[in-house]
Amino acid sequence: MDTIASLFSFITTPVSWVIVQFHSLFGAIFGPDTGWAWGLSIVSLVILIRICLIPLFVKQIKATRAMQTLQPEMKKIQERYKNDKQRQSEEMMKLYKESGTNPLSSCLPILAQSPFFFALYHVLSGIASGKTVGVIDQPLLASAQKAHIFGAPLAAKFMDSQDKVAALGATLMDVRVVTAIMIVLMSFSQFYTQRQLMTKNVDTTIKTPFMQQQKMLMYVFPVIFAVFGINFPVGVLVYWLTTNVWTMGQQMYVIHQNPTPGSKAQSAFLDRLLKHVTHTKKVRKRSQRAAIKAIVAKGRDRNEFERKFINGLGKAGLAAQTDGSVALGESAVATETEDGTPGSGGGAAPRRQQPKRQSKSQRHSAPSTTKSPDSPDTARSVASSGKTSLSKSDEPQDAKPAGAKPASSGTRSQAKSGQRKGQQRPKHPSKK
């Protein structure tokens, strides 16, 4: 570890200078030789470094989103080459190259912090061995050696001997208890940060090598920190525990405000947003407007959580607009139902207007010129007219012999436009 730390000795002076400046501030409050002054100086160093790394963190988030957009293509490659793992890996690498993404982008913050981490380790090792490092001169070195954090010296390690710990003014039991607790907290915070990323902020419907890599890191990193933690000075453990807590809080904020599409975090985010929008009838935050704008722009490519959100707005009489705002239902944009079919964006979907049903007499009074002579409607009209003529002749008439031909006038009255001439089929007596 000392050999690796010596490789980053070129930034030892800047790191030690920052610690000294913070120490002068906190030393005036808590005392220059206290553990609070030196411990808070290390914590402040971490905060300063992480603030400077925020642009890199934003770049990491964008790279992660780009990886999410590639997941459908990754799934196709997996299905196409499911029996050829080597070809599958080659196609994945080709896809990463064409899209300009990198699956290792999630490690960028850790890699960027490594020089500062090893520089701090080099400074604290110099304090433990009684050597001046960077801008830490002999008076500051003596002050740092007197500083204790919960009874453990700032430069003490878990594996130090009894004599070395006694030279720093502490007991071996105090050092090992404090370092063990800090190692456990450091490993747990690292595990929890990675676990909430995997369980809440990842679209688990698509299995990719990127997800397998993240799952592996979730278990590997805590073990690595636990193994190497026994060789870290107490000051370095303070540094790494602080940066893990910062990362955990930063990750929780991102999951809460900008979740990954298709994840459980997005479902919870859209439920909160729907409840807020239906209550206030407006969208105030810029992040919320951006989320709604992205959902509207997706169209038919929305996932089930996004369709549920759009339908929830519709039931409340609201419609999502292309600029991320919401309006009343009459300004609705096209949305999709749960099964992906198009629907109305705002309010209930309008019913299809059915043609007005005509009565029987209206259908019979329709002009005969619009019907063809052989159409069924014409036949029904003729039958109706024949029935009417029969109903008008209900008066008793002279009985005619069987087989007698009807009068020619009767035949002409029954022969309408489009009706076949000739003898008509007599009506049954019950239908008269």
Side-chain angles (χ1 to χ4, degrees):
M1 186 65 68
D2 293 330
T3 304
I4 298 176
S6 62
L7 298 176
F8 298 94
S9 58
F10 63 93
I11 62 171
T12 300
T13 301
V15 169
S16 61
W17 183 84
V18 172
I19 293 177
V20 169
Q21 299 306 311
F22 281 119
H23 174 263
S24 62
L25 173 64
F26 294 113
I29 301 174
F30 301 101
D33 299 337
T34 60
W36 286 102
W38 286 99
L40 291 176
S41 299
I42 297 174
V43 171
S44 301
L45 172 68
V46 175
I47 295 174
L48 179 62
I49 293 173
R50 295 308 300 264
I51 291 175
C52 294
L53 293 179
I54 286 179
L56 185 61
F57 177 75
V58 173
K59 186 177 180 180
Q60 175 194 1
I61 294 297
K62 291 182 179 179
T64 304
R65 293 290 185 269
M67 291 293 297
Q68 293 292 332
T69 59
L70 293 179
Q71 285 189 356
E73 297 297 329
M74 294 178 183
K75 186 176 181 181
K76 292 179 182 179
I77 293 175
Q78 283 184 324
E79 293 176 352
R80 185 180 302 174
Y81 304 105
K82 59 183 178 181
N83 295 326
D84 190 350
K85 298 298 182 181
Q86 182 178 358
R87 182 66 183 277
Q88 184 182 122
S89 300
E90 293 176 355
E91 293 296 325
M92 288 289 186
M93 293 297 106
K94 184 179 178 180
L95 180 63
Y96 295 151
K97 185 177 180 180
E98 292 176 353
S99 59
T101 57
N102 187 357
L104 299 178
S105 58
S106 60
C107 301
L108 288 178
I110 296 177
L111 296 177
Q113 289 182 82
S114 299
F116 302 98
F117 172 79
F118 288 112
L120 178 63
Y121 181 89
H122 187 63
V123 170
L124 295 176
S125 297
I127 293 174
S129 59
K131 298 179 181 179
T132 58
V133 180
V135 298
I136 299 179
D137 53 12
Q138 194 64 40
L140 290 173
L141 179 63
S143 175
Q145 288 180 337
K146 295 177 184 178
H148 290 66
I149 298 177
F150 300 108
L154 195 68
K157 304 176 186 177
F158 183 88
M159 300 300 293
D160 283 346
S161 62
Q162 178 70 38
D163 296 337
K164 189 174 182 179
V165 172
L168 295 173
T171 63
L172 185 61
M173 180 62 68
D174 292 339
V175 171
R176 291 190 173 178
V177 169
V178 172
T179 53
I181 293 175
M182 296 183 72
I183 290 171
V184 170
L185 292 177
M186 182 179 65
S187 301
F188 174 77
S189 59
Q190 179 69 35
F191 175 79
Y192 182 79
T193 301
Q194 198 69 22
R195 178 175 173 79
Q196 72 173 349
L197 179 65
M198 292 296 300
T199 58
K200 296 182 179 180
N201 205 38
V202 171
D203 187 359
T204 56
T205 59
I206 302 177
K207 305 295 183 182
T208 63
F210 174 72
M211 292 179 58
Q212 297 297 327
Q213 175 195 5
Q214 294 293 323
K215 187 176 181 180
M216 180 184 65
L217 293 178
M218 180 175 66
Y219 295 100
V220 171
F221 274 169
V223 174
I224 291 176
F225 289 136
V227 171
F228 285 97
I230 60 177
N231 293 314
F232 290 164
V234 173
V236 174
L237 294 178
V238 171
Y239 174 93
W240 205 251
L241 178 60
T242 305
T243 193
N244 281 358
V245 172
W246 177 283
T247 303
M248 182 172 60
Q250 191 172 247
Q251 189 69 51
M252 291 177 65
Y253 176 81
V254 171
I255 291 175
H256 190 269
Q257 297 294 333
N258 189 19
T260 300
S263 63
K264 294 180 180 179
Q266 190 197 31
S267 176
F269 171 77
L270 292 180
D271 288 342
R272 295 192 304 269
L273 181 58
L274 178 62
K275 184 178 180 180
H276 172 74
V277 172
T278 54
H279 178 70
T280 61
K281 307 298 182 183
K282 61 179 65 176
V283 183
R284 297 177 180 177
K285 295 183 179 180
R286 183 181 300 178
S287 60
Q288 295 175 347
R289 284 180 176 270
I292 296 177
K293 183 178 179 180
I295 292 174
V296 173
K298 285 185 177 180
R300 295 181 62 89
D301 295 332
R302 300 181 189 122
N303 56 48
E304 57 176 325
F305 305 132
E306 294 165 346
R307 287 195 294 266
K308 181 181 177 182
F309 173 75
I310 293 295
N311 291 337
L313 289 179
K315 293 178 181 179
L318 300 172
Q321 304 301 301
T322 55
D323 61 349
S325 61
V326 294
L328 297 179
E330 54 265 19
S331 304
V333 295
T335 61
E336 295 176 4
T337 57
E338 292 293 339
D339 57 356
T341 57
S344 175
R351 292 185 178 182
R352 182 179 177 183
Q353 187 176 1
Q354 299 293 337
K356 188 176 181 180
R357 188 174 183 180
Q358 295 180 344
S359 63
K360 187 174 182 180
S361 60
Q362 289 175 337
R363 291 197 302 270
H364 290 167
S365 62
S368 59
T369 56
T370 59
K371 308 292 182 180
S372 67
D374 297 332
S375 64
D377 293 338
T378 305
R380 286 195 297 268
S381 177
V382 172
S384 175
S385 62
K387 181 178 178 180
T388 305
S389 63
L390 290 175
S391 63
K392 290 182 179 179
S393 58
D394 288 339
E395 293 82 2
Q397 297 180 358
D398 296 339
K400 297 184 182 297
K405 293 183 179 181
S408 59
S409 59
T411 304
R412 285 194 300 270
S413 62
Q414 293 180 3
K416 303 292 181 182
S417 174
Q419 183 179 1
R420 297 178 181 177
K421 296 182 180 181
Q423 185 178 2
Q424 299 296 318
R425 184 177 180 180
K427 294 288 184 180
H428 194 274
S430 63
K431 296 182 179 180
K432 292 183 180 181

